[in-house]
């Protein structure tokens, strides 16, 4: 009988059960309450950057002096003279002579033919400055030569259509050009040239006469239609824009915005957006001049229209910088929300090339980064497929040539920060998965593994998304992600140990690893089997373990922020330890990993050192995680276990947790005692140091988990007959009966553990430890609970009834029947 008692006594929740007869039910039970505990922790907090900058103060890019600025001055003079085709980017010097260029005609594109030079020497003389202007350095628009805006009248002879002259607008009558020699009029001033909304004839425009000579009536009809729209609608709108801008007053900005919207609508309705409008340069000139009015609302309308006209080169860069400049002020977010320009930004990201428009892409993505901090715009970005656009851009950036590696890195800093904000929205998670963003970011990390800014942003995305099962699965399926994370921890741990950004990166990758290993046995094993896994984790443990102040002497002059900065640094180090220890606790749940860690002397020593150096009051979460790890490791009681040889030392260290005011610390310490108390030496330590008295009081807790753990300790303590009387004197038997009555019907595992403790305490002839009233109460409770038809029905949640029935059959029924049989008086009639 005694041997049976001992066997039943150690069959507690802290000993692994092997029941091959009812394997299915046992698996159901073990899923709900394991002796090996998965540790959870809070996701690292990422404070919001109050200053909207490309690279905030926390960024540590190596090329700090050469990185693009967040602040700059931008005016109309910074824009290039518009042309019908993008510039080559090469500045040419003006020619000193008039070359004799042969007139050639491309058979496939007759519009590329050069126009014949005028025969009139005066025309040649007057045309030279205009020809040279295209090769002069782009500068202030005030230096550009005026260009007539009604070339159709010259190319299409017919009745002259004289437009009423407006201030600053030239007459459309070109009779003076077609007449004989004449005296040229006075030279126009720079300000008059600015106000002239004409456009320069481009190659396509200059070839219009050739078109007509070739008899292309279709193209001629289209140009006539465009000229009609231009003369009747667009030109008047441009004149209005200039007129309203010239008489700027309080209400003129709204009027100008309306005019820009009208102009945009007219161009769209006439299919003249993009580069399809032959006179787009005239439109752009007018728009660029309005930028100097310095209105965020107006400039945003100008930016949208310029992007719709497919600007390129320096003009594209400046428009992106202009939009970036507007987005830096949070008060302007409403302007972006009420404007469809976000579609234009996404178009730029989709179509522009990194090699030719890298800096423009940088400021465009930077704008979206700022805007994604606004919840309303964040939702808008999701609806407009920003994540899909980001995926496409990531792929192009990761395949960029080496010469563009630096600018690609700058763009990725902004793009990953944008994705970090998007990851906050719950609706983004399915989109992240459908576009394989997690695996794309893995590629980013491999290409830019030494860039702390990119790696930190990606670690923030992973730490957010890995809290959700579907994202964990997607990340776990990324090949070699565990090895990559360990490599990144090694690289950035070695680079700057005291850097705050470095700690942000380390703590988030550890948090992600903790999430991955929380629910997956495969993840636990894969991580442990990575090359150098334990060496890396223990190296981090040593680095961030604050042994004492003398071990970390302060070098150089004291920090201006003094003790406050030091306290923040200590807290950051401790947060790293919290996440790291959680990874260890989760890893050792695996049946192959746990025994290996239990024999790892440096690992056990570091855990014990943390218990010794830290206080519950200052480091509660860390000590709770350490206790949970030790509890999991104490499950493996092999002879080679380092923890088994140190169990008395650990029992002493657990006292500070058990006697603290933290319920979480008490609970974990009780669980550790439940496993360690399998040892006779530990049981003696518990009784000699009056720990059993505290454990008995825990039965009064309203927490079922606390009662369950306390019952586990009592189950082992009652293995020794001398302890039974001591426990009874503390009222343990009565409290166990109360616990069974209060919680048993809702938790059959707890009910079974209470019966196990009672069996060990009063069995084998010790039933006299229960008084008459306690015995009657216990009989009544057991009689009710052993009703096979009724007991499992008490669970209101129908989804949990199968689980509770399995617990009732496996955990409660066998031991409850034994206790019931012991309490019932013998049948004298038999």
């Amino acid at each position: 009988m005694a041997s049976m008692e001992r066997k039943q006594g150690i069959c507690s929740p802290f000993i692994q059960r092997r029941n091959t007869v009812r394997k299915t039910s046992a698996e159901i039970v073990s899923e709900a309450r394991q002796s090996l505990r998965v540790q959870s922790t809070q996701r690292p907090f990422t404070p919001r950057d109050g200053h909207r900058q490309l690279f905030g103060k926390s960024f540590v890019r190596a090329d700090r002096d050469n990185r693009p600025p967040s602040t700059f001055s931008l005016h109309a003079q910074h824009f290039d003279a518009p042309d019908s085709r993008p510039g080559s980017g090469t500045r040419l010097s003006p020619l000193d002579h008039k070359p004799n260029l042969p007139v050639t005609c491309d058979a496939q594109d007759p519009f590329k033919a050069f126009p014949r030079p005028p025969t009139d020497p005066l025309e040649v003389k007057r045309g030279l400055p205009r020809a040279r202007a295209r090769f002069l350095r782009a500068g202030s628009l005030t230096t550009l030569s005026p260009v007539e805006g009604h070339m159709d009248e010259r190319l299409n002879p017919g009745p002259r259509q004289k437009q009423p002259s407006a201030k600053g607008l030239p007459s459309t009558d070109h009779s003076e050009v077609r007449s004989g020699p004449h005296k040229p009029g006075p030279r126009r001033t720079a300000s008059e040239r600015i106000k002239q909304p004409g456009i320069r004839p481009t190659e396509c425009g200059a070839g219009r006469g050739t078109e007509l000579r070739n008899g292309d009536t279709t193209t001629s009809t289209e140009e006539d239609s465009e000229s009609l729209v231009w003369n009747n609608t667009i030109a008047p709108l441009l004149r209005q824009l200039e007129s309203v801008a010239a008489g700027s007053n309080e209400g003129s900005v709204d009027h100008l915005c309306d005019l820009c919207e009208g102009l945009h609508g007219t161009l769209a309705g006439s299919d003249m957006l993009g580069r399809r409008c032959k006179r787009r340069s005239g439109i752009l000139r007018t728009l660029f001049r309005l930028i100097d009015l310095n209105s965020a609302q107006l400039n945003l309308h100008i930016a949208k229209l310029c992007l719709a006209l497919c600007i390129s080169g320096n003009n594209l860069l400046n428009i992106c910088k202009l939009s970036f400049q507007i987005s830096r002020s949070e008060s302007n977010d409403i302007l972006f929300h009420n404007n469809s320009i976000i579609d234009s930004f996404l178009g730029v990201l989709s179509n522009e090339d990194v090699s030719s428009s890298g800096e423009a892409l940088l400021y465009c993505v930077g704008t979206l980064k700022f805007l994604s901090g606004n919840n309303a715009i964040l939702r808008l970005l999701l609806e407009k497929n920003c994540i899909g656009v980001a995926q496409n851009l990531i792929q192009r950036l990761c395949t960029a040539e080496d010469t563009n590696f630096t600018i690609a890195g700058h763009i990725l800093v902004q793009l990953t920060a944008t994705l970090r904000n998007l990851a906050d929205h719950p609706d983004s998670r399915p989109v992240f998965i459908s576009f394989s963003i997690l695996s794309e970011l893995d590629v980013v990390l491999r290409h830019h593994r030494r860039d702390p800014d990119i790696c930190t942003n990606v670690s923030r995305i992973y730490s957010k998304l890995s809290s959700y099962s579907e994202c964990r699965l997607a990340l776990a399926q990324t090949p070699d992600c565990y090895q990559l994370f360990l490599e990144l921890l090694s690289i950035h741990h070695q680079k700057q140990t005291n850097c705050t950004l470095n700690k942000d990166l380390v703590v988030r990758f550890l948090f992600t690893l903790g999430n991955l290993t929380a629910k997956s046995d495969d993840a636990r094993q894969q991580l442990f089997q990575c090359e150098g896994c334990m060496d890396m984790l223990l190296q981090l443990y040593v680095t961030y373990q604050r042994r004492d102040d003398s071990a970390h002497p302060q070098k150089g002059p004291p920090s201006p922020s003094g003790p406050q900065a030091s306290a923040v640094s200590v807290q950051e180090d401790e947060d790293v330890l919290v996440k790291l220890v959680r990874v260890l606790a989760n890893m050792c749940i695996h049946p192959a990993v746990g025994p290996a860690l239990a024999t790892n002397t440096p690992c056990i020593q570091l855990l014990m050192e943390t218990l010794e150096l830290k206080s519950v009051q200052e480091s509660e979460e860390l000590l709770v995680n350490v206790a949970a790890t030790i509890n999991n490791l104490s499950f493996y009681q092999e002879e080679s276990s380092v923890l088994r040889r140190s169990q008395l030392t650990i029992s002493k260290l657990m006292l500070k947790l058990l006697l603290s005011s933290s319920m979480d610390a008490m609970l974990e310490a009780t669980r550790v005692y439940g496993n360690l108390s399998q040892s006779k030496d530990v049981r003696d330590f518990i009784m000699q140091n009056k720990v059993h008295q505290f454990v008995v009081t825990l039965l009064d807790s309203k927490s079922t988990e606390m009662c369950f753990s306390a019952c586990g300790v009592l189950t082992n303590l009652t293995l020794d007959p001398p302890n039974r009387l001591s426990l009874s004197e503390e009222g343990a038997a009565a409290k166990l009966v109360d616990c069974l009555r209060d919680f048993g019907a809702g938790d059959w595992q707890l009910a079974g553990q209470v019966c196990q403790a009672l069996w060990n305490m009063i069995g084998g002839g010790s039933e006299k430890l229960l008084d008459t009233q306690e015995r009657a109460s216990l009989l009544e409770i057991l009689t009710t609970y052993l009703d096979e038809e009724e007991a499992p029905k008490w669970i209101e949640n129908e989804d949990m009834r199968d689980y509770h029935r399995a617990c009732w059959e496996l955990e409660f029924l066998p031991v409850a029947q034994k206790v019931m049989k012991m309490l019932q008086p013998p049948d004298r009639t038999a």
Side-chain angles (χ1 to χ4, degrees), residues 166-167 169 195 236-249 252 255-256 259 286 290:
K167 182 179 180 180
L169 293 176
K195 295 181 180 179
L237 281 173
L238 294 178
R239 287 194 293 271
Q240 275 190 279
L241 281 170
E242 294 197 348
S243 175
V244 174
S248 179
N249 55 55
S252 61
H255 191 188
L256 289 170
L259 290 173
T286 302
L290 297 176

Side-chain angles (χ1 to χ4, degrees), residues 162-466:
K162 292 188 177 182
Q163 300 288 342
S165 297
K167 182 179 180 180
L169 293 176
S171 170
T172 57
D173 187 349
H174 299 280
S175 57
E176 56 176 325
V177 178
R178 300 192 179 277
S179 61
H182 64 282
K183 183 177 181 179
R187 187 177 182 83
R188 284 184 289 259
T189 65
S191 60
E192 289 175 333
R193 292 198 300 270
I194 295 175
K195 295 181 180 179
Q196 185 172 349
I199 63 170
R200 178 188 303 147
T202 64
E203 283 91 353
C204 290
R208 204 174 288 164
T210 306
E211 274 177 55
L212 298 178
R213 287 192 297 270
N214 291 339
D216 191 345
T217 58
T218 302
T219 304
S220 176
T221 303
E222 291 176 355
E223 291 185 354
D224 288 343
S225 176
E226 179 179 315
S227 297
L228 189 63
V229 174
W230 178 272
N231 293 330
N232 292 341
T233 308
I234 297 177
L237 281 173
L238 294 178
R239 287 194 293 271
Q240 275 190 279
L241 281 170
E242 294 197 348
S243 175
V244 174
S248 179
N249 55 55
E250 186 174 347
S252 61
V253 169
D254 289 338
H255 191 188
L256 289 170
C257 291
D258 292 339
L259 290 173
C260 286
E261 282 296 301
L263 178 58
H264 191 285
T266 298
L267 292 171
S270 303
D271 195 26
M272 295 168 65
L273 289 177
R275 291 181 171 270
R276 290 183 291 274
C277 179
K278 301 299 186 297
R279 307 160 189 256
R280 60 188 287 278
S281 56
I283 301 173
L284 291 173
R285 286 173 187 263
T286 302
L287 295 176
F288 291 160
R289 285 194 290 267
L290 297 176
I291 290 173
D292 284 343
L293 293 178
N294 198 28
S295 164
Q297 180 183 359
L298 176 59
N299 284 347
L300 208 56
H301 282 81
I302 294 170
K304 183 177 74 170
L305 189 47
C306 288
L307 292 175
L309 289 169
C310 293
I311 54 173
S312 59
N314 185 61
N315 289 339
L316 174 62
L317 170 59
N318 283 334
I319 285 296
C320 289
K321 292 173 77 171
L322 180 67
S323 303
F324 173 85
Q325 200 172 52
I326 297 171
S327 69
R328 290 198 64 196
S329 175
E330 194 170 342
S331 61
N332 290 333
D333 285 357
I334 187 64
L335 301 179
F336 290 90
H337 186 268
N338 296 335
N339 192 312
S340 60
I341 194 171
I342 290 179
D343 296 298
S344 303
F345 294 153
L346 296 177
V348 170
L349 301 187
S350 299
N351 301 318
E352 293 300 326
D353 185 65
V354 179
S355 60
S356 59
S357 304
E359 197 172 354
L361 287 171
L362 172 67
Y363 284 104
C364 188
V365 180
T367 301
L368 294 180
K369 178 186 74 172
F370 295 155
L371 297 178
S372 63
N374 181 294
N375 290 332
I377 299 180
L378 179 66
R379 178 68 194 177
L380 206 59
L381 289 171
L382 284 175
E383 294 174 354
K384 294 179 180 296
N385 192 33
C386 181
I387 294 178
V389 172
Q391 181 219 29
N392 177 272
L393 181 56
I394 287 174
Q395 293 175 342
R396 285 152 47 210
L397 291 170
C398 288
T399 56
E401 298 178 359
D402 292 342
T403 53
N404 300 312
F405 186 80
T406 299
I407 188 65
H410 291 334
I411 297 171
L412 281 169
V413 171
Q414 310 306 315
L415 189 58
T416 51
T418 305
L419 290 171
R420 178 194 66 195
N421 292 340
L422 288 167
D424 275 333
H425 200 287
D427 291 346
S428 71
R429 296 194 289 271
V431 188
F432 268 89
I433 294 173
S434 64
F435 281 104
S436 303
I437 295 296
L438 296 177
S439 59
E440 295 289 353
L441 292 175
D442 184 90
V443 177
V444 170
L445 290 175
R446 295 181 189 279
H447 279 81
H448 298 269
R449 65 182 65 201
R450 296 194 176 275
D451 189 317
D453 300 321
I454 294 176
C455 292
T456 298
N457 281 346
V458 175
S459 73
R460 286 169 173 165
I461 297 171
Y462 282 167
S463 71
K464 288 182 179 183
L465 295 181
S466 63

